[in-house]
Amino acid sequence: MRIGSIGGRAWLVTADGQGVDIAEASDGRFAPDPQAVYDIWDELRIWSAEFPVDRLVHVDPARFDLPVPRPRQVFAIGANYRAHAAEAGVAPPEQPVIFTKFPSCLTGPNDAVSIRHERVDWEVELVVVMGRKAQNVPSTAAWDHVAGLAVGQDISERSIQRLGPMPQFSMAKSLPGFGPIGPLIVTPDEFADPDDLELGCAVNGVTMQSSRTSDFIFSISELVEYISHLVPIYPGDLIFTGTPEGVGATRKPPIFLKPGDILTTWVEGIGTLVNPITEEQAA
Ligand code: ZN
């Protein structure tokens, strides 16, 4: 199953690019709010198997907007790919490194990202969207709590990240627009192997990152187990699972995003984010 948002309303979308507005097609049984679908995920999955296919219409992927607009919590993982830990000069962590992206940074798969700093960097990430409350969940049951997977960008301002005596990951990665996600939420059963997906990003068509999630240090199951033993994870919460090698800051010389760039970000089997980078206008 694939879920997207158009005009701030939840849509069920097929693999061949057709879809229905969930509230309309269910004759009001389900609310239009795309955040609400995760609270009734099991019901929606049952309904989706028998939804009225005669109401399908063609969907233009450029119309998709933010599919998870108000998660209660957004977890993000640092140094979760072996090759990225190596390029960052850190030893592979022995337990997950966790920070947050404030939910106000989330933006849609086709939205412009306006910037006003000099050292804004890209980080392609696979994003997990939770479908059931997870508390003290063993890794063997972790996937049962996942609604689906999305493409994400953990856009990062490296100067703010390194201001002061300790890293400020959460602030540096939460400026407005620094969390594009989408274009769809795809359920785990749609993948041959949801633990081994090709992902990458490009700036103006030049590939900057290209890897596979099989390079993870901590798998999705291990992350859900670890986090859910510390805090409850709620339906609709997000986990940004870390970025592979190829960020701009560790290049020689470094490369950063600038107004006019087009940032494209993809994960195999899910789709592509297309985010133009624009200059933030003074208010
Ligand atoms: Zn990241």
Side-chain angles (χ1 to χ4, degrees):
M1 185 168 81
R2 293 157 182 263
I3 298 287
S5 173
I6 297 177
R9 297 174 65 92
W11 276 62
L12 181 67
V13 181
T14 65
D16 63 354
Q18 296 183 290
V20 289
D21 180 301
I22 290 172
E24 282 179 11
S26 68
D27 296 320
R29 177 176 166 196
F30 298 111
D33 179 5
Q35 187 68 46
V37 300
Y38 303 100
D39 292 323
I40 43 89
W41 190 250
D42 291 332
E43 267 185 82
L44 185 68
R45 289 225 62 176
I46 293 166
W47 173 80
S48 73
E50 297 170 4
F51 81 97
V53 286
D54 55 317
R55 296 205 205 173
L56 283 170
V57 295
H58 173 74
V59 175
D60 175 0
R63 293 177 65 204
F64 289 124
D65 52 30
L66 178 57
V68 189
R70 299 180 316 284
R72 277 172 272 205
Q73 305 179 94
V74 180
F75 302 92
I77 313 300
N80 197 31
Y81 286 78
R82 291 170 203 289
H84 176 58
E87 78 176 351
V90 299
E94 291 176 10
Q95 61 285 316
V97 175
I98 301 172
F99 57 94
T100 187
K101 287 174 77 73
F102 306 135
S104 62
C105 79
L106 297 173
T107 197
N110 299 293
D111 288 343
V113 176
S114 67
I115 63 174
R116 60 188 152 98
H117 294 89
E118 300 290 315
R119 295 167 65 82
V120 178
D121 204 348
W122 53 82
E123 293 193 353
V124 55
E125 307 210 356
L126 178 67
V127 174
V128 175
V129 186
M130 301 300 290
R132 287 183 182 151
K133 184 179 178 185
Q135 204 157 17
N136 300 322
V137 169
S139 63
T140 49
W143 277 110
D144 297 340
H145 294 74
V146 171
L149 303 174
V151 185
Q153 258 291 347
D154 178 21
I155 299 179
S156 307
E157 211 294 324
R158 303 300 186 193
S159 300
I160 297 172
Q161 186 175 324
R162 289 173 189 146
L163 276 179
M166 285 182 277
Q168 305 202 50
F169 290 117
S170 297
M171 194 72 254
K173 294 163 172 278
S174 293
L175 298 185
F178 277 25
I181 58 168
L184 299 169
I185 311 305
V186 180
T187 52
D189 59 292
E190 299 256 342
F191 302 92
D193 180 359
D195 286 306
D196 181 20
L197 302 176
E198 193 270 335
L199 77 175
C201 75
V203 178
N204 303 326
V206 178
T207 297
M208 295 296 182
Q209 294 183 280
S210 179
S211 184
R212 306 191 69 88
T213 59
S214 49
D215 192 41
F216 275 160
I217 295 169
F218 299 102
S219 68
I220 288 170
S221 299
E222 290 168 328
L223 292 173
V224 170
E225 175 179 75
Y226 182 81
I227 297 169
S228 77
H229 278 76
L230 294 170
V231 295
I233 320 177
Y234 296 100
D237 281 357
L238 305 179
I239 305 172
F240 281 68
T241 55
T243 200
E245 74 277 20
V247 299
T250 56
R251 290 167 180 266
K252 297 185 177 39
I255 308 174
F256 296 108
L257 293 168
K258 57 187 186 310
D261 286 345
I262 302 290
L263 178 61
T264 51
T265 310
W266 62 86
V267 176
E268 169 189 5
I270 303 175
T272 302
L273 314 176
V274 182
N275 299 107
I277 308 299
T278 60
E279 184 155 19
E280 186 171 294
Q281 304 297 318

